[in-house]
Amino acid sequence: MAWENQTFNSGFILLGIFNYSPTHIFLFSLVLGIFTVAFMGNTAMILLIYLDTQLHTPMYFLLSQLSLMDLMLVCTTVPKMAFNYMSGSKSISLAGCGAQIFFYVSLLGAECFLLATMAYDRYVAICHPLRYSILMNQKICGLMAACSWILGSLDGIIEVAVALSFSYCGAREIPHFFCDVPALLILSCTNTLLFERMIFICCVIMLLFPVAVIIASYVHVIVAVIHMGSGEGRRKAFATCSSHLTVVGMYYGAAMFIYMRPTSNRSPTQDKMISAFYTILTPMLNPLIYSLRNKEVVRAFLKMLGKGKSREQIA
């Protein structure tokens, strides 16, 4: 009954990241611009890969899944933050907080495993090209992507169930712009040490294990690329792999900084800045990194533009 009185009858207050000073109004407008670019860029990437048959390969299928995850991730946090800022209301219901935690944690976990799958795909393509169609056929590729979604969702279900089982009291003011588990635990009236240790163990598994797969894959890839006879093949391989490694570095670096530090070393300001980086900025950068450095994506985009112009001329 105490938990019901303390938690169900009232939600939480999101303190947010911006105030109403001219500088913060400008920064808020910048965030909305980044959100728009991220939304349009990831949507365009998904549509391009779906509509262009030449992009119906394992690598681009996995890239479309990454774009879908980024699209959902940026839509999990920014719209609510923008609504609260423009309306002046900072509240979020218990159900809304639980939904944010579930989608946020699930998508972060799914991306961890998907990035490892993408690294394995490049390893097979470059180190075992003759066996690529067997080792990364449509069924295996779909299964690996599905496993990424399922493992991420399991982590999300566990964390939201445990986080919302605690009693929360006091002002219930979350020093963040969305319901992040570490920020939420600060408000708990009960001892959360065991749960914090469980989160740390989950982070070790969901961050370090995929990182190990990525490092092992790219060590083999780099050795294979160095021994390539064709300069064009070497250039193309490096271009593809460097795009992926850039995304991996941004994503894992920020995630490890947030979730693999002890609670005593946390700073709300630092957490908000880093969270904004990988929940808002990274989803915008991913489609730009992959599209600008990928001739096939550029070709597909120009092809779609050409079709659109042709239809306009006919009309």
Side-chain angles (χ1 to χ4, degrees), residues 284-301:
M284 180 200 74
L285 294 175
N286 285 354
L288 295 178
I289 291 170
Y290 279 109
S291 61
L292 294 177
R293 305 196 64 178
N294 192 305
K295 289 184 177 180
E296 291 179 327
V297 173
V298 173
R299 175 202 56 76
F301 181 69

Side-chain angles (χ1 to χ4, degrees), residues 157-223:
I157 291 170
I158 293 170
E159 289 208 21
V160 74
V162 178
L164 295 186
S165 70
F166 292 123
S167 296
Y168 295 96
C169 50
R172 299 188 190 82
E173 294 180 344
I174 301 175
H176 219 305
F177 62 93
F178 67 95
C179 280
D180 190 23
V181 173
L184 188 63
L185 294 181
I186 298 172
L187 309 179
S188 178
C189 306
T190 52
N191 188 350
T192 62
L193 182 61
L194 184 61
F195 182 47
E196 289 174 24
R197 288 176 178 172
M198 186 195 79
I199 291 177
F200 181 81
I201 293 171
C202 285
C203 287
V204 169
I205 295 171
M206 300 189 72
L207 289 174
L208 296 188
F209 174 71
V211 165
V213 172
I214 291 168
I215 292 173
S217 297
Y218 276 107
V219 166
H220 287 87
V221 165
I222 291 170
V223 171

Side-chain angles (χ1 to χ4, degrees), residues 102-260:
F102 171 73
F103 284 109
Y104 176 75
V105 172
S106 297
L107 291 166
L108 287 183
E111 279 203 34
C112 283
F113 292 110
L114 186 71
L115 288 171
T117 301
M118 293 173 74
Y120 174 75
D121 170 73
R122 291 300 83 205
Y123 159 72
V124 176
I126 294 171
C127 299
H128 303 283
L130 298 180
R131 301 177 61 197
Y132 182 72
S133 59
I134 299 173
L135 295 176
M136 284 299 292
N137 60 47
Q138 187 176 4
K139 184 177 180 180
I140 293 175
C141 186
L143 184 62
M144 294 173 79
C147 285
S148 299
W149 284 97
I150 292 169
L151 290 172
S153 297
L154 286 175
D155 187 37
I157 291 170
I158 293 170
E159 289 208 21
V160 74
V162 178
L164 295 186
S165 70
F166 292 123
S167 296
Y168 295 96
C169 50
R172 299 188 190 82
E173 294 180 344
I174 301 175
H176 219 305
F177 62 93
F178 67 95
C179 280
D180 190 23
V181 173
L184 188 63
L185 294 181
I186 298 172
L187 309 179
S188 178
C189 306
T190 52
N191 188 350
T192 62
L193 182 61
L194 184 61
F195 182 47
E196 289 174 24
R197 288 176 178 172
M198 186 195 79
I199 291 177
F200 181 81
I201 293 171
C202 285
C203 287
V204 169
I205 295 171
M206 300 189 72
L207 289 174
L208 296 188
F209 174 71
V211 165
V213 172
I214 291 168
I215 292 173
S217 297
Y218 276 107
V219 166
H220 287 87
V221 165
I222 291 170
V223 171
V225 168
I226 290 173
H227 290 90
M228 278 184 178
S230 169
E232 177 65 21
R234 189 184 297 114
R235 185 202 61 78
K236 185 176 180 181
F238 267 126
T240 303
C241 296
S242 61
S243 297
H244 185 239
L245 284 174
T246 302
V247 172
V248 166
M250 292 191 304
Y251 179 82
Y252 282 101
M256 286 180 179
F257 181 83
I258 287 287
Y259 291 103
M260 296 191 70

Side-chain angles (χ1 to χ4, degrees), residues 44 48 52 296-306:
L48 276 178
D52 194 305
E296 291 179 327
V297 173
V298 173
R299 175 202 56 76
F301 181 69
L302 294 176
K303 181 181 175 183
M304 294 302 296
L305 284 181

Side-chain angles (χ1 to χ4, degrees), residues 273-287:
M273 293 298 108
I274 300 299
S275 294
F277 175 78
Y278 72 85
T279 60
I280 302 173
L281 191 61
T282 302
M284 180 200 74
L285 294 175
N286 285 354

